Amino acid sequence: DAKTTQPPSMDCAEGRAANLPCNHSTISGNEYVYWYRQIHSQGPQYIIHGLKNNETNEMASLIITEDRKSSTLILPHATLRDTAVYYCIVRSGGGAGSYQLTFGKGTKLSVIP
Amino acid sequence: NAGVMQNPRHLVRRRGQEARLRCSPMKGHSHVYWYRQLPEEGLKFMVYLQKENIIDESGMPKERFSAEFPKEGPSILRIQQVVRGDSAAYFCASSPRVVDSYEQYFGPGTRLTVT
């Protein structure tokens, strides 16, 4: 699976949009971009994923660049409960070795009142 | 629809004892994954199971660790003769399929402390 690079930490004011970047310059054609978050030692929570088109759900939006080498997770109106470590993960769509999620260090997002 | 359930949530064992961690996947999910998170570290994949089969155990330590997912009942992660280095949070995840894109949904974890 392709490796990802994320900033170690970010701050965001409550009520503002949080934009979390991720670089995955070695991503291959059949690899998806997934975002998870972990709120203070709870189990990781799935947020969103995409292949090449931008995606939106009730939690967030995922913007993937045209060359697919980077992406941005957008939390449109951050709240204090969004304070967590956010993980960007690249994983292939199937086959041996695709079952595991490889968690890096992620980005620690602190939402400030 | 209940999420992934894990029990116990906290488990304390003395060195040399056995630890048994249980995971019930989400309804309709037949694929289970176990991950371990050591203190101040990221989650590491351990094993992937389908009903009655171990598909990928590339992340499992070679000794003392085993996993099963029987036809009936929860998945079990078993650690024999625990040592202090086994102290960690163990998370289970489940998914409905393993083709194309699919999400893994995680449970709340079991925190194992070895004294």
Side-chain angles (χ1 to χ4, degrees):
Chain A
D1 290 336
K3 182 175 177 176
T4 63
T5 304
Q6 299 178 253
S9 63
M10 291 181 64
D11 291 340
C12 177
E14 188 178 17
R16 304 297 294 267
N19 296 279
L20 292 90
C22 179
N23 287 322
H24 31 79
S25 58
T26 60
I27 193 170
S28 60
N30 70 338
E31 289 181 317
Y32 292 79
V33 180
Y34 288 80
W35 284 84
Y36 282 78
R37 72 181 181 183
Q38 188 174 26
I39 298 173
H40 184 58
S41 73
Q42 296 179 19
Q45 179 186 20
Y46 165 79
I47 301 173
I48 198 167
H49 75 276
L51 183 62
K52 48 185 166 182
N53 297 322
N54 298 337
E55 302 288 344
T56 296
N57 62 21
E58 64 279 3
M59 287 184 68
S61 295
L62 174 60
I63 308 299
I64 303 174
T65 58
E66 192 169 341
D67 63 7
R68 301 186 70 236
K69 292 185 177 182
S70 66
S71 60
T72 301
L73 178 74
I74 301 172
L75 307 178
H77 304 288
T79 70
L80 297 178
R81 287 181 291 183
D82 292 322
T83 293
V85 179
Y86 287 77
Y87 297 98
C88 170
I89 299 168
V90 171
R91 191 186 67 189
S92 63
S98 72
Y99 313 120
Q100 52 182 284
L101 294 171
T102 302
F103 288 83
K105 295 186 183 299
T107 295
K108 181 166 183 172
L109 175 68
S110 298
V111 180
I112 301 167
Chain B
N1 185 12
V4 177
M5 298 173 67
Q6 291 188 248
N7 63 81
R9 296 290 304 277
H10 300 274
L11 182 62
V12 179
R13 285 286 178 266
R14 291 199 179 101
R15 280 179 296 170
Q17 291 185 319
E18 178 180 290
R20 292 171 70 87
L21 289 63
R22 289 177 291 277
C23 168
S24 296
M26 289 179 69
K27 186 176 181 180
H29 290 193
S30 58
H31 305 270
V32 166
Y33 317 80
W34 286 93
Y35 293 79
R36 177 168 68 173
Q37 186 170 33
L38 295 169
E40 306 303 321
E41 294 189 15
L43 283 84
K44 303 292 185 188
F45 169 81
M46 300 181 75
V47 62
Y48 157 51
L49 311 99
Q50 294 180 23
K51 284 285 188 181
E52 301 185 274
N53 289 301
I54 297 174
I55 306 302
D56 181 353
E57 56 182 346
S58 58
M60 285 278 271
K62 299 300 181 191
E63 299 178 348
R64 302 186 298 106
F65 285 72
S66 62
E68 63 177 15
F69 189 15
K71 186 176 181 181
E72 301 292 336
S75 175
I76 305 289
L77 180 68
R78 182 182 178 208
I79 311 172
Q80 295 179 287
Q81 300 175 316
V82 296
V83 301
R84 288 220 172 106
D86 297 332
S87 294
Y90 292 82
F91 294 97
C92 166
S94 72
S95 70
R97 63 185 181 276
V98 290
V99 293
D100 298 321
S101 70
Y102 58 95
E103 307 86 48
Q104 292 183 15
Y105 295 95
F106 285 79
T110 293
R111 277 144 190 85
L112 171 66
T113 302
V114 179
T115 61

